[in-house]
Amino acid sequence: QVQLVESGGGLVQPGGSLRLSCVASEYTWIYYSIGWFRQAPGKEREGVSCINTSGNAKYYADSVKGRFTISRDSAKNTVYLQMNSLEPEDTAIYYCAATRPSVTVETMCLTQQGMYWGQGTQVTVSS
């Protein structure tokens, strides 16, 4: 079983940046697609960005395109979400999830498919 641990959340002013990290417990994570999802208070969870096993296929929600960048570092068992130009609407708990690469990264994000989930990290964008 793959365990995922998110970190990097915090309080940031509008226009600021944060980098979230999702660390996997086992090297077998390289066989999984990884996604970042978020849930704001009173809203449904949504897929933010997903990346495939090799890192050459990425999906971004329209709301974050051009501002967020997903990447993975196999040597560190880590997937990153670089978040720039943050807006108050980005405030949410951010979760990472892993799933088998039997679906596209777009499907993974849009249908929120995840076999394993992390515990989440809070991101608050406020002045």
Side-chain angles (χ1 to χ4, degrees):
Q1 183 171 349
V2 177
Q3 293 184 328
L4 304 172
V5 179
E6 304 96 333
S7 63
L11 173 64
V12 64
Q13 293 185 342
S17 298
L18 284 174
R19 188 177 77 162
L20 305 184
S21 299
C22 173
V23 180
S25 60
E26 298 184 5
Y27 77 94
T28 52
W29 82 294
I30 63 174
Y31 301 116
Y32 293 83
S33 296
I34 305 294
W36 282 98
F37 302 83
R38 67 186 181 186
Q39 187 164 22
K43 295 186 177 181
E44 295 185 354
R45 187 175 62 193
E46 63 173 342
V48 175
S49 183
C50 295
I51 188 169
N52 69 347
T53 55
S54 63
N56 63 2
K58 304 173 184 180
Y59 170 85
Y60 296 96
D62 288 343
S63 58
V64 306
K65 277 182 182 177
R67 301 188 298 122
F68 291 10
T69 302
I70 192 170
S71 62
R72 63 192 300 164
D73 186 334
S74 297
K76 296 182 178 179
N77 285 7
T78 303
V79 170
Y80 301 101
L81 185 68
Q82 178 67 43
M83 306 187 297
N84 299 328
S85 302
L86 283 162
E87 304 168 351
E89 293 74 22
D90 296 315
T91 295
I93 300 176
Y94 284 71
Y95 302 89
C96 66
T99 196
R100 293 288 189 183
S102 56
V103 296
T104 65
V105 290
E106 180 177 4
T107 297
M108 179 184 181
C109 262
L110 291 177
T111 61
Q112 301 181 43
Q113 293 194 28
M115 294 176 61
Y116 307 106
W117 291 82
Q119 82 291 347
T121 185
Q122 176 71 48
V123 171
T124 302
V125 184
S126 175
S127 55

